[in-house]
Amino acid sequence: MRSDKMKKGIERAPHRSLMKAMGYTDEEIMRPIIGVANAFNEIIPGHIHLRQIVDAVKAGIRMAGGTPVEFGGIGVCDGIAMNHLGMRYSLASRELIADSVEVMAQAHPFDGLVVVPSCDKITPGMMMAMLRLNIPAILISGGPMLTGNWNGKKVNLISVFEGIGQVRSGKMTEEELCSLEDEACPTCGSCAGMFTANSMNCLSEALGLSLPGNGTIPAVSAKRYRLAKKTGMKIMELVEKQIKPRDIATDAAFKNAIAVDMALGCSTNTVLHVPAIAHEAKVALPLDVFNEMSMKTPHLCNMIPGGPHSLYDLDLAGGIQAILNELDKLGIIDGDVITASGKTAKENFSSCQVRDREVIRPVEDPYHKEGGIAILYGNLAPEGCVVKQSAVAPEMLKHQGPARVFESEDDAYKAILEGMIKPGDVVVIRYEGPKGGPGMPEMLSPTSAIVGMGLDRQVALLTDGRFSGGTKGAAIGHISPEAAEGGPIALVREGDTISIDIPERKLELMVDEAELQKRRAEWKEPEPRIKEGYLARYARMVSSGAKGAIVE
């Protein structure tokens, strides 16, 4: 056993003595030792209940003859960090999370690993660690929050963000917003909707690194606790059979996951996280794979924020396994890949039928013929950029308009709320990429303000930063190269015409090359916004958003 390095033989008597200081018996020490990474904290609603989930995982490990050893991790709540300095730390925290799990599992050679995250950067960070370590490992998330009910309508966190713009435009009173605030987030769990956290938890299931049901069973359901116990038991089987994450997360498995991503209309942040996870798995996953799978995969689910359906609706309709079964009819799913259940993907999904054809449409009658995400290219984004096309109003799929240029998210947000953005405008927010931000902050506040002001069918927003999974509308992010690297977005000037053609996958700045060369010669690299601490180091080391913003 891997843990023998710290417990077996006369030379390890001091090590065993330290373990006995914590109450471990000889019998427990001699069993397979399973690390349990608990992302619990008291600042993230998706994590507030993880102690109970972890207790269930540990019970499962003990039932199957193992010894669980729990350790903690950090986490940022994107909603609470939004629209201030804290958001610059969110994406950057992903690397720290991966590193910290690696440190714990290498310093203390566990025989297996169960990771228990729930929210935006914690789930991909822990998945990165699983693939990097490549010891038997499995993931169980805390599960999604239920939607709220306000005045007879389904509501969620994004409803509150959009409410700010509605108050500013006179469509809602401050008292109504306060009432909405009280009802929008009614339970623990990752925020209700196909936002980044739920997207990544669903994709962990589609990729095969978690058990069926992980992506969709509500946080407050007893089924979630039963799944946690099963996960604890399953890690013992993975240890016995030595099934490792890289055996599961193959090139074919990643394509399965991207197909599910497209069918669901997941967060654009998946285009950052999935390549970063693939990088740790030693699988090449260029951005073009997302377009390739998008062209093949119909959009089957109209999920919040683009549509009406919640994660609970999706769970009742059959969940991720039913989607895989439906997509298998098109021949785009590799059913032979092994999964953390110990079974092949097809063995998992073959008996899972769709139970609600409005929530999961048949492949012959999808919501859209193409998948939820598109990668655009052009002289404004030579290395690519990302849009959730399933959440774009039909009239904004093709658009030309004058650039309204802002050097930061704060300046743009203020201009939107003060009524300075007019129908037809293309808002450009730059110097918010991985290096320039630093940390590639999400733009949920400005995009929600555009929706709240009633402009989402008339105004586009472009950025080298990124968007929340809760963003809807013609919001195009991850523009690469970013402004801080001298990318073309740094050369845009107020009033320039920008052309967006999502069906043709094009994003163009309608300025001739000679003028762009002149502007490029005049461009000067800006002073870094943050010059010390972790973010300064991160900015020096992080790669382009087109490469998943990985730190090499």
Side-chain angles (χ1 to χ4, degrees), residues 194-447:
M194 196 50 72
F195 314 144
T196 304
N198 289 324
S199 294
M200 292 309 304
N201 290 326
C202 287
L203 295 191
S204 75
E205 182 180 338
L207 190 55
L209 292 174
S210 59
L211 294 181
N214 178 68
T216 58
I217 295 172
V220 294
S221 171
K223 279 175 64 179
R224 174 65 54 180
Y225 293 91
R226 296 198 297 271
L227 186 70
K229 289 178 182 177
K230 290 177 182 176
T231 299
M233 296 172 75
K234 187 58 65 174
I235 187 60
M236 297 303 296
E237 180 184 327
L238 297 178
V239 169
E240 181 185 354
K241 294 180 177 178
Q242 282 299 292
I243 297 174
K244 300 176 183 178
R246 290 185 200 169
D247 300 325
I248 295 168
T250 61
D251 179 75
F254 275 103
K255 287 180 178 175
N256 286 352
I258 294 171
V260 170
D261 187 344
M262 298 303 161
L264 283 172
C266 286
S267 164
T268 52
N269 283 313
T270 60
V271 182
L272 283 174
H273 300 318
V274 173
I277 295 164
H279 176 75
E280 299 291 355
K282 312 298 183 188
V283 172
L285 200 68
L287 279 184
D288 287 341
V289 175
F290 286 85
N291 266 347
E292 173 195 333
M293 296 309 297
S294 183
M295 298 286 193
K296 293 179 181 178
T297 310
H299 177 220
L300 303 182
C301 303
N302 201 14
M303 305 293 294
I304 296 169
H309 299 133
S310 68
L311 268 291
Y312 187 37
D313 295 330
L314 181 59
D315 191 59
L316 293 174
I320 302 307
Q321 299 304 313
I323 292 172
L324 284 164
N325 199 359
E326 189 67 23
L327 293 176
D328 189 49
K329 296 174 183 177
L330 297 175
I332 59 175
I333 298 299
D334 188 330
D336 294 331
V337 294
I338 194 69
T339 71
S341 71
K343 300 176 181 177
T344 65
K346 190 148 194 168
E347 287 172 327
N348 286 338
F349 69 64
S350 60
S351 62
C352 296
Q353 301 301 316
V354 176
R355 297 192 289 267
D356 187 331
R357 281 298 184 184
E358 186 59 22
V359 177
I360 304 174
R361 288 275 186 90
V363 290
E364 302 85 7
D365 182 29
Y367 284 101
H368 300 97
K369 291 182 179 179
E370 291 185 2
I373 290 174
I375 310 298
L376 314 185
Y377 295 93
N379 69 346
L380 191 49
E383 294 177 5
C385 58
V386 184
V387 63
K388 186 191 280 194
Q389 61 178 346
S390 59
V392 178
E395 55 266 47
M396 290 299 294
L397 290 171
K398 293 186 178 185
H399 179 75
Q400 280 197 6
R404 304 296 309 281
V405 182
F406 300 92
E407 309 301 324
S408 73
E409 176 193 2
D410 291 346
D411 291 344
Y413 186 47
K414 182 179 177 183
I416 294 163
L417 290 180
E418 290 180 354
M420 295 170 61
I421 303 303
K422 306 301 180 188
D425 286 349
V426 178
V427 177
V428 177
I429 304 176
R430 62 190 178 192
Y431 295 103
E432 297 286 17
K435 292 180 184 295
M440 206 178 188
E442 289 185 344
M443 303 290 162
L444 180 57
S445 291
T447 57

Side-chain angles (χ1 to χ4, degrees), residues 85-104:
L85 176 64
M87 179 42 66
R88 303 191 186 283
Y89 284 86
S90 174
L91 180 60
S93 74
R94 186 188 72 182
E95 315 309 310
L96 288 177
I97 291 159
D99 290 350
S100 64
V101 174
E102 175 198 356
V103 166
M104 289 299 292

Side-chain angles (χ1 to χ4, degrees), residues 469-491:
T471 292
K472 60 184 177 183
I476 299 171
H478 310 194
I479 291 177
S480 300
E482 63 175 287
E485 291 188 316
I489 190 173
L491 310 179

